[in-house]
Amino acid sequence: MSQNRRTTDCENSPKQCLLLILISLFLCGLIAFGLTYFIQKWIETENVETSGIPLKMDYIWPQNVKKIVDYVIENDMHVTNDDRAVLIKTELMRFNTSDVFYIMVYDNKGETESNSFYGNAEQYITSYNPGKSNIVIYRSHYWRSTTENAKDNIENEVKIICAEGLNKQPDYNDVPVKLSENLENSRFVGLMGKDLDVSIRSANSFGRVWGPGWWDSIDEVYPDSKKQTGKQFILISGFK
C-alpha cells in the first residue's frame, strides 16, 4: 500500500529553491561586509580618541596643517605609517573647509631617488624626517564641486600611465613634471617607492574614497625591453 508523501517547496520548484539560496548567500555576504566596515571605522576612531592629540585649531593653510604634521612626527605618535595617516586625516576633517586632502605617509630611508613631487606650491606641503616618516599633504579646491566625468577622467589618465610602466632611470626628480603633461586637471603629481611602506588616506572626499584624484601602483621597466625590473612605485595625481 503506497503512502502519500508530503512534497517540499524545493521539490515542487527547484528554481525557487535556488533563488532562496542565492538570496540567503547575498544577505550573509552583505552582513559580513557591513560588520567589517564598521569594525574598521571603530578601530580608526579608537586610534584617534586614544592619541591624546591636543590640537584644536582653525583652518589656516599651511601653518596649522604643518602644526598637526609636526606634532605627529615629534611625538612619534602611533606605530605604523597608516596609523599616522589616519590620525592626520581625522584632524584635517575637523577643519571647516570644502578643501579635500590627500595624506601621504612613507618611510624616510635617505633615498631621494625613490620619491619626487611636482605641483602647485600653494596646494601641497612636505615634511622630511630622517629616521622617521615623511609626510606629504595635498589639498584640492574643486574636487567636491566638479563633475563625475572629470573625476572619471583623472582616474583613467592615471590608469593609462600606470599600464605603460615607468622607464628605469638614475633618479626621478623630473618624472612628475613630465607625467603632469598627460594629466589634464591635475595640480599635483607624486612618486613614492612602494617598498617605503606607503600609506595614502583621503580626508573630506565623501563618496569617492580614493579622491581627490587617483593613485595606483606603477611598475618600473627597462627602457629597451619594457621588462619589469621588480621595483614598483605609487603614482598619485591630485585634482585641481
Side-chain angles (χ1 to χ4, degrees):
M1 181 177 179
S2 62
Q3 295 181 346
N4 293 329
R5 185 169 64 89
R6 184 178 179 181
T7 59
T8 64
D9 291 340
C10 285
E11 289 173 327
N12 289 331
S13 179
K15 290 184 178 179
Q16 183 180 16
C17 186
L18 178 60
L19 180 60
L20 289 173
I21 293 173
L22 292 175
I23 292 174
S24 298
L25 291 173
F26 173 76
L27 291 175
C28 289
L30 191 62
I31 292 171
F33 174 81
L35 286 174
T36 302
Y37 174 81
F38 283 112
I39 289 172
Q40 179 64 31
K41 289 299 179 183
W42 177 81
I43 291 173
E44 291 183 5
T45 302
E46 284 295 302
N47 285 340
V48 173
E49 290 180 350
T50 58
S51 69
I53 189 167
L55 305 175
K56 299 293 183 290
M57 301 174 293
D58 294 329
Y59 180 49
I60 302 175
W61 176 277
Q63 293 88 339
N64 285 352
V65 176
K66 286 183 177 179
K67 288 180 181 178
I68 294 172
V69 171
D70 291 343
Y71 188 90
V72 171
I73 292 298
E74 290 170 5
N75 291 275
D76 198 25
M77 301 189 71
H78 296 289
V79 178
T80 69
N81 288 339
D82 194 54
D83 287 335
R84 297 183 180 99
V86 169
L87 177 60
I88 294 172
K89 166 185 175 174
T90 305
E91 292 303 313
L92 292 177
M93 291 182 71
R94 299 184 195 276
F95 288 137
N96 182 21
T97 178
S98 61
D99 285 349
V100 183
F101 303 92
Y102 266 137
I103 305 107
M104 294 150 270
V105 185
Y106 61 98
D107 292 343
N108 184 314
K109 294 184 178 179
E111 300 175 354
T112 56
E113 69 273 12
S114 292
N115 57 90
S116 57
F117 306 95
Y118 169 76
N120 183 345
E122 295 183 353
Q123 289 183 248
Y124 78 100
I125 59 174
T126 57
S127 176
Y128 296 104
N129 307 282
K132 297 183 179 180
S133 298
N134 294 337
I135 298 177
V136 181
I137 310 290
Y138 172 75
R139 64 168 179 169
S140 167
H141 296 308
Y142 301 107
W143 181 250
R144 288 170 67 175
S145 61
T146 194
T147 64
E148 291 298 311
N149 185 55
K151 294 176 181 178
D152 290 338
N153 283 344
I154 195 168
E155 174 184 342
N156 292 331
E157 288 168 348
V158 171
K159 287 182 175 179
I160 289 172
I161 294 173
C162 290
E164 294 176 351
L166 194 64
N167 287 337
K168 179 179 174 61
Q169 41 201 293
D171 68 71
Y172 293 87
N173 290 332
D174 297 328
V175 172
V177 181
K178 296 176 182 177
L179 294 180
S180 67
E181 297 173 359
N182 298 313
L183 296 163
E184 182 180 2
N185 288 313
S186 175
R187 295 297 180 272
F188 172 82
V189 181
L191 273 178
M192 294 159 284
K194 197 171 182 179
D195 59 336
L196 298 178
D197 188 26
V198 180
S199 175
I200 299 177
R201 290 280 180 163
S202 303
N204 290 348
S205 184
F206 306 111
R208 287 262 184 162
V209 295
W210 283 53
W214 196 258
W215 58 273
D216 206 345
S217 299
I218 182 170
D219 292 307
E220 182 186 67
V221 298
Y222 294 108
D224 296 331
S225 65
K226 295 300 179 182
K227 291 183 178 179
Q228 298 176 5
T229 68
K231 183 177 179 62
Q232 286 187 315
F233 289 84
I234 297 294
L235 170 64
I236 182 169
S237 175
F239 192 81
K240 63 184 179 181

